[in-house]
Amino acid sequence: MLIVFPTRTHVYSMAPVGWALRAAGHEVRYVGPRNPSEVEPFLETGLDAMWFGDDVDIARERKLGDTGSSNAMDDDFKLSETRQERYTAEYVRAVHEMWVDVFRWITPDSLLDELLSFAKQWQPDLVVWDPLMYAGPLVAHVVGAAHVRMLYAADQTARISFQYQELGERRDPLVEWMSGWLGKHGREFDETLRFGMATIDPSPSCIRYDLDVNYIPVRFVPVNRPLPIPRWVVEEPARPRVCLTLGVSNRQVHGREEASVLDLLDGLGELDIEVIATLSADQLASVDRVPANVRAVDFIPMNEALASCSAIVHQGGGATVGNAVVNGVPQLIVPGTTWSERASALAQEERGYGLLLDLADLTASSVRSGVERLITEPSFARCAAEVRQEMLDTPTLSDIVPDLEALASR
C-alpha cells in the first residue's frame, strides 16, 4: 500500500518505489483520500489507486493554513525556520503542535476507519507512507504490516519531533492522538510510528539531517507529467540555457507564489542567456512584458529540459532539487517557506553547487548577479558534477527491494 498526500508532487515522488516493487512482481496500490482536482497524477503513474474517506479538495479549501491551530499562519512559527537562535522552546512547542493539527486534519477517523477495514481485507505486507500521512503507520500497526516512510524533501518532521522531545514535555500531542485511535483497536503506541521502521531518502546526502533515524539513501528518480517533448528541448542551445521554475506546490496548496515573478524575469532578461520559464498564465499575470530571451511555457518535463541547462532558478522544492542534482545543474534557490526549502538551500550553498537568495533580498539585480556567478564561476559546475556522481553511486530503488521484502517477511 502506498499512502500519499494527494497532490501531484507527492504522488510523483512515491511512484518510483511503486514501480520498483511492481517490477519485482508485487501487487502495488495507492490508497488514501481523493483530491478531486488531482486525480490525474495517480493515473499517470500507471499504478492502481483506490479512494477512502472524505474528499480533500485542497485547491478549493486551502485548508493547510486553517487546521485549527492559532499558530498556523504565524510567520514566527514556520516549520521552514533555519535560524538556530529561533529554535526556542516556544517555537518548537508551537510548530510541533501545529503540525500535529495538520496531520490530524489530513488523517481524520473516517479515513482511518475505512482504510483499516480495507487493509484487514486486502492484508498488505508493506505500507509505504508519505511524511504527512500518518494513516500509513497507524493502519499498518493494527494489521501487522511492515511500514516505511518515503521522503520527498528534507526530513522536517523528524527534526521538529526530536527538538520537541528534547524539551522533556510530559505529554506529546502526536503520541496522544495516535494512542487514542490505536487503543480503540487493541494496540499501543510504538516509537516506529514516528518515522517508520525505516525511511527511504532520495535527497542528496548534504541535505540529510544527522538524526537518529533509520535512513535508507536511494538515488533520486525524476518523474514528470508525461507529455510530448518539443524538439527544441533536446537541441544544443546557442547561448547558456537557464531554467526558471517555481514548482507546483504553492499553486496547488496555497494558491499563490511567494517570489516575485517580475523581479525574476527582469533579472534573467538582462543576461545574454536563453531562459526556459515554466510559468502559467496566472503566474505571468503580473508581468507586462516577457523579456525577449525568455521562452515561457506552462509545463515541460523538468528532467529533459535540465539536460541542456547551465543553471536553474527555483523555489527549493524537493523534486526540483532532485531533478537538478541528477542533471548536474548549479542552482539559484529563492526558498519558499512551506517545508525545508531554506534548509536545503543552505546545505547546497555550503556544498558549493548552489546559491541562496532569500525572498527579502530578491531583486532583478540580485537574480542577475546570482545566475551570472553560477554560469561563469567553474566551481559551481564542478561541485554540481561531483554531487551528481554521488547520487548516481547511491543504490537504486530496485537495489533496496530485497531489503523491503525482508522487512515485510519479518
Side-chain angles (χ1 to χ4, degrees):
M1 289 171 63
L2 310 180
I3 302 182
V4 296
F5 185 59
T7 61
R8 183 177 301 274
T9 299
H10 291 245
V11 174
Y12 284 178
S13 294
M14 193 173 286
V17 74
W19 295 336
L21 290 164
R22 173 67 66 83
H26 301 292
E27 187 174 358
V28 179
R29 183 168 297 167
Y30 280 109
V31 300
R34 187 179 78 104
N35 179 357
S37 62
E38 289 288 284
V39 171
E40 286 301 316
F42 288 94
L43 306 181
E44 290 163 357
T45 68
L47 298 171
D48 295 340
M50 295 181 69
W51 318 121
F52 297 91
D54 298 327
D55 283 355
V56 180
D57 195 338
I58 301 162
R60 178 171 57 85
E61 299 177 25
R62 312 292 184 209
K63 289 189 66 174
L64 268 182
D66 185 23
T67 62
S69 168
S70 60
N71 296 315
M73 295 298 287
D74 193 330
D75 285 342
D76 290 333
F77 301 104
K78 284 190 176 291
L79 186 64
S80 57
E81 179 62 65
T82 58
R83 295 165 291 180
Q84 293 290 334
E85 66 272 16
R86 293 288 300 163
Y87 297 161
T88 63
E90 180 188 18
Y91 161 81
V92 171
R93 190 178 299 111
V95 174
H96 181 67
E97 291 176 356
M98 180 192 80
W99 278 90
V100 173
D101 287 342
V102 174
F103 300 146
R104 295 187 67 169
W105 167 70
I106 300 169
T107 309
D109 284 355
S110 58
L111 171 63
L112 285 168
D113 293 342
E114 286 190 28
L115 271 178
L116 178 59
S117 177
F118 171 71
K120 286 180 176 179
Q121 168 198 335
W122 198 54
Q123 288 295 306
D125 299 292
L126 175 68
V127 177
V128 185
W129 53 283
D130 183 307
L132 294 182
M133 297 299 300
Y134 276 91
L138 286 170
V139 169
H141 194 52
V142 173
V143 300
H147 62 93
V148 298
R149 279 193 312 164
M150 185 163 186
L151 300 179
Y152 53 87
D155 197 356
Q156 296 298 86
T157 45
R159 190 209 77 179
I160 197 66
S161 181
F162 277 108
Q163 289 174 341
Y164 185 84
Q165 292 176 65
E166 289 170 4
L167 296 180
E169 300 281 343
R170 287 187 297 178
R171 58 173 291 272
D172 184 334
L174 181 68
V175 175
E176 290 181 352
W177 165 53
M178 291 196 284
S179 296
W181 186 81
L182 290 168
K184 294 188 295 185
H185 301 283
R187 297 290 190 273
E188 296 181 353
F189 175 80
D190 184 293
E191 279 297 325
T192 64
L193 299 176
R194 289 188 189 272
F195 317 123
M197 296 175 174
T199 293
I200 302 170
D201 187 1
S203 296
S205 60
C206 65
I207 291 177
R208 192 170 303 122
Y209 292 122
D210 183 17
L211 298 172
D212 186 19
V213 175
N214 182 21
Y215 290 117
I216 303 176
V218 295
R219 186 189 304 174
F220 177 84
V221 179
V223 180
N224 293 281
R225 190 169 79 205
L227 281 177
I229 301 172
R231 182 170 295 181
W232 61 263
V233 172
V234 297
E235 293 174 348
E236 190 71 22
R239 297 178 291 173
R241 180 176 282 172
V242 174
C243 181
L244 167 63
T245 180
L246 295 176
V248 296
S249 294
N250 281 340
R251 278 187 277 171
Q252 290 176 330
V253 178
H254 300 298
R256 59 178 171 80
E257 297 295 354
E258 295 178 284
S260 166
V261 174
L262 180 60
D263 286 336
L264 290 167
L265 290 179
D266 281 351
L268 294 170
E270 296 173 1
L271 293 167
D272 185 21
I273 59 176
E274 175 192 334
V275 180
I276 305 173
T278 61
L279 300 172
S280 67
D282 289 341
Q283 290 173 305
L284 290 170
S286 62
V287 178
D288 294 330
R289 181 186 62 84
V290 176
N293 67 337
V294 174
R295 186 195 298 262
V297 292
D298 183 73
F299 181 85
I300 191 169
M302 184 64 60
N303 183 53
E304 286 71 17
L306 288 175
S308 61
C309 284
S310 300
I312 180 173
V313 181
H314 65 95
Q315 86 295 354
T320 309
V321 168
N323 274 276
V325 164
V326 296
N327 281 283
V329 179
Q331 306 173 40
L332 175 64
I333 304 169
V334 186
T337 61
T338 302
W339 191 254
S340 62
E341 297 93 337
R342 194 171 193 277
S344 296
L346 283 168
Q348 293 176 97
E349 184 172 68
E350 183 176 347
R351 179 62 180 80
Y353 65 94
L355 289 173
L356 164 65
L357 176 57
D358 275 319
L359 286 164
D361 301 321
L362 175 61
T363 63
S365 176
S366 61
V367 171
R368 181 184 67 248
S369 175
V371 171
E372 199 165 37
R373 286 191 62 194
L374 293 180
I375 292 174
T376 61
E377 297 180 23
S379 63
F380 291 104
R382 183 174 64 251
C383 288
E386 291 172 359
V387 174
R388 176 179 185 270
Q389 191 57 52
E390 290 172 9
M391 182 63 79
L392 294 178
D393 291 339
T394 305
T396 67
L397 285 160
S398 294
D399 292 334
I400 71 165
V401 164
D403 299 323
L404 298 179
E405 291 170 338
L407 185 66
S409 68
R410 290 197 298 271

